[in-house]
Amino acid sequence: AQSVTQPDIHITVSEGASLELRCNYSYGATPYLFWYVQSPGQGLQLLLKYFSGDTLVQGIKGFEAEFKRSQSSFNLRKPSVHWSDAAEYFCAVGPTGNTGKLIFGQGTTLQVKP
Amino acid sequence: EAGVAQSPRYKIIEKRQSVAFWCNPISGHATLYWYQQILGQGPKLLIQFQNNGVVDDSQLPKDRFSAERLKGVDSTLKIQPAKLEDSAVYLCASSPQGANTGELFFGEGSRLTVL
């Protein structure tokens, strides 16, 4: 069955510290991979995506993610977290033929301590 | 550029009542999606339109949910009769036609509480 697992429901980091959010997927074929962010009261916004090629992808707001096929993972990283990064983060996978038909993980809520 | 507009933002109804949500996608976006986000879960696709045709509605509970996009622009999602488990945020999203970029543009959502 196709699924996305985000093992950490809630993460707290100090401002300025580094961040890594984990994402593992189960998918029959090579999927397209995405990270979306949802700030309170706002819609989801695309942070970055991986389709093919370089397995390290850069996104907006200083985020990056690395695709590891052998581990079926697509972890999100940021070297130095800002208070404004506090939000909920969703990893998602989608078929190559229809990138709108996304399967989302349950999300990781990031809290940033001053 | 205006984003995806949804209304109402909040709705409280009793079970067995009906409710309708409206979505206006970004101008020029041919593809429109309705996702359901239950508290503590990630969004789940309910239905996908390409212009005014349905591309995928495999996860839409058709006994109580219906959706239409008659003129290929705005869309309405209806629930009748509502159940307690329908309490969720209903997200509308859009994307440009033929642009298999993977980027969906989401509205702020309509939060439904069924009592």
Side-chain angles (χ1 to χ4, degrees):
Chain A
Q2 301 166 351
S3 65
V4 176
T5 301
Q6 295 180 243
D8 305 304
I9 296 175
H10 194 109
I11 284 185
T12 300
V13 299
S14 298
E15 190 169 16
S18 63
L19 171 71
E20 182 170 30
L21 302 183
R22 296 183 291 164
C23 172
N24 294 95
Y25 67 89
S26 173
Y27 206 81
T30 301
Y32 287 174
L33 296 157
F34 309 87
W35 276 98
Y36 279 83
V37 61
Q38 186 175 34
S39 299
Q42 298 185 23
L44 282 82
Q45 180 185 22
L46 180 68
L47 279 177
L48 47 78
K49 62 192 178 191
Y50 172 77
F51 282 7
S52 64
D54 192 348
T55 57
L56 183 65
V57 294
Q58 303 296 321
I60 62 172
K61 304 184 181 185
F63 285 91
E64 66 179 26
E66 185 172 13
F67 170 56
K68 293 185 177 180
R69 185 188 304 275
S70 61
Q71 298 177 21
S72 296
S73 69
F74 189 56
N75 294 349
L76 182 72
R77 301 194 294 250
K78 187 170 185 178
S80 178
V81 169
H82 188 263
W83 64 266
S84 60
D85 294 324
E88 190 159 20
Y89 292 80
F90 292 93
C91 181
V93 301
T96 56
N98 181 1
T99 54
K101 190 174 181 179
L102 298 177
I103 299 171
F104 283 87
Q106 69 184 82
T108 298
T109 299
L110 173 65
Q111 183 179 1
V112 180
K113 295 190 300 184
Chain B
E1 179 182 78
V4 176
Q6 292 189 245
S7 67
R9 290 292 311 278
Y10 305 93
K11 189 73 175 179
I12 300 174
I13 62 173
E14 296 191 349
K15 59 184 179 183
R16 291 186 290 273
Q17 288 186 324
S18 63
V19 64
F21 301 110
W22 173 83
C23 172
N24 191 32
I26 292 174
S27 178
H29 281 194
T31 310
L32 184 147
Y33 314 82
W34 284 101
Y35 277 81
Q36 179 193 55
Q37 185 177 14
I38 293 172
L39 186 64
Q41 300 180 19
K44 182 183 80 171
L45 180 66
L46 291 177
I47 189 166
Q48 176 183 355
F49 292 94
Q50 180 82 5
N51 296 309
N52 60 349
V54 175
V55 174
D56 189 315
D57 64 356
S58 58
Q59 298 190 97
L60 186 74
K62 299 179 184 63
D63 58 333
R64 297 180 302 103
F65 286 66
S66 65
E68 60 183 13
R69 194 185 184 201
L70 293 177
K71 296 183 179 178
V73 181
D74 56 351
S75 176
T76 301
L77 175 70
K78 297 180 181 178
I79 307 174
Q80 182 179 16
K83 292 186 175 182
L84 297 177
E85 58 260 36
D86 298 332
S87 294
V89 177
Y90 292 87
L91 299 168
C92 181
S94 68
S95 65
Q97 179 177 8
N100 203 20
T101 66
E103 181 165 12
L104 302 187
F105 296 83
F106 283 86
E108 295 178 347
S110 295
R111 182 179 297 276
L112 173 65
T113 302
V114 182
L115 303 176

